[in-house]
Amino acid sequence: MKAGPCNPCVEVDTTNKWVLWNDGTSGGKQIYLLIPTDRKKGIECQDIWEHHDPNYWLGAWTYVTKHMSPLSIGLGINSQYSRKEDQLHIHMAEFEGDAKIYLDNNFNKVAMKPDDWPNKILSVPGKKDTHTPPQPQVRSYRVLFVKSLATDNLFYLLRQMIPANQMGNQTMIVIPTSAPQPLGFYVLNSETTLDQNKGTSTCDLLLACK
């Protein structure tokens, strides 16, 4: 199946019950979405926290390595308050270069295991604002390092840190590490009330999702 003006569906995985969706371009760069074919409202949906659901993050990254440049692409999901659609979708889009540089330079401040994730809060620079001169929009994120997206359900790890009734407030972003740091991924989580209201409920500040 090929994507086109009237058919943005690029690929269908009937085993995992998801599709790769062509979401257009931002700054000339292609954006894709991974969307379950079963009804999953979003990050607040209990089904995705459980281990019986497919590994959506690994699925999205597999498509990145197939259709995009893994060196510059991140994954993200918005909170229920920042999304436009009422169906789970993971963005695959170019990440902000300043954010990646900051994370690599502050690798020693990142959580190395999930138990430490709640306390490893970093102020990460994101998309520039409209001031003159433009300034990076800095937000607070909890940051965890994982070696692989295949090992753990990232939604499950987040649920162990966040009460069920607050899951809908969360945003998550996954960005690959760079040498000389160990090969793996930064898993960032935030919400508007994080770190004395310095957090965010959207992945748009770190990913070119629109």
Side-chain angles (χ1 to χ4, degrees):
M1 182 178 294
K2 295 183 179 180
C6 299
N7 179 27
C9 183
V10 177
E11 190 170 328
V12 179
D13 186 326
T14 56
T15 300
N16 290 300
K17 297 183 178 180
W18 62 48
V19 300
L20 177 66
W21 195 261
N22 185 332
D23 200 41
T25 60
S26 176
K29 303 292 185 178
Q30 192 66 53
I31 307 169
Y32 292 100
L33 304 177
L34 181 141
I35 308 174
T37 55
D38 287 346
R39 178 66 169 134
K40 310 285 180 180
K41 289 187 66 176
I43 195 168
E44 74 278 16
C45 183
Q46 184 174 347
D47 287 350
I48 66 173
W49 314 337
E50 306 297 337
H51 290 289
H52 61 262
D53 253 20
N55 187 334
Y56 296 116
W57 295 101
L58 179 60
W61 189 251
T62 300
Y63 285 130
V64 167
T65 60
K66 183 177 179 180
H67 295 280
M68 309 173 81
S69 169
L71 297 178
S72 61
I73 300 299
L75 313 175
I77 184 170
N78 288 320
S79 73
Q80 63 179 331
Y81 305 109
S82 297
R83 66 178 186 244
K84 295 180 180 179
E85 306 297 336
D86 215 18
Q87 172 71 2
L88 176 72
H89 54 281
I90 293 179
H91 296 267
M92 292 165 259
E94 188 170 15
F95 55 72
E96 289 291 324
D98 287 346
K100 176 66 169 292
I101 293 171
Y102 175 88
L103 291 167
D104 285 339
N105 289 342
N106 288 275
F107 188 80
N108 63 331
K109 300 178 182 179
V110 172
M112 293 292 110
K113 55 184 180 179
D115 288 348
D116 294 335
W117 196 9
N119 302 315
K120 297 297 184 176
I121 300 175
L122 279 68
S123 300
V124 182
K127 190 175 299 181
K128 290 182 171 61
D129 58 27
T130 57
H131 291 107
T132 304
Q135 298 296 318
Q137 299 180 64
V138 178
R139 297 292 186 273
S140 295
Y141 300 85
R142 305 177 184 96
V143 187
L144 169 70
F145 169 76
V146 296
K147 293 181 179 179
S148 169
L149 299 181
T151 305
D152 295 297
N153 178 339
L154 299 187
F155 291 120
Y156 175 82
L157 294 183
L158 181 65
R159 172 62 185 87
Q160 302 313 294
M161 179 172 64
I162 302 295
N165 63 359
Q166 296 181 25
M167 282 291 287
N169 303 332
Q170 310 303 310
T171 186
M172 295 182 73
I173 302 103
V174 173
I175 295 175
T177 60
S178 293
Q181 309 306 343
L183 183 65
F185 300 87
Y186 300 109
V187 183
L188 296 89
N189 156 249
S190 192
E191 56 190 299
T192 54
T193 57
L194 180 65
D195 193 22
Q196 299 181 344
N197 303 319
K198 297 176 183 176
T200 179
S201 63
T202 176
C203 63
D204 293 351
L205 296 180
L206 297 187
L207 301 181
C209 298
K210 57 185 179 179

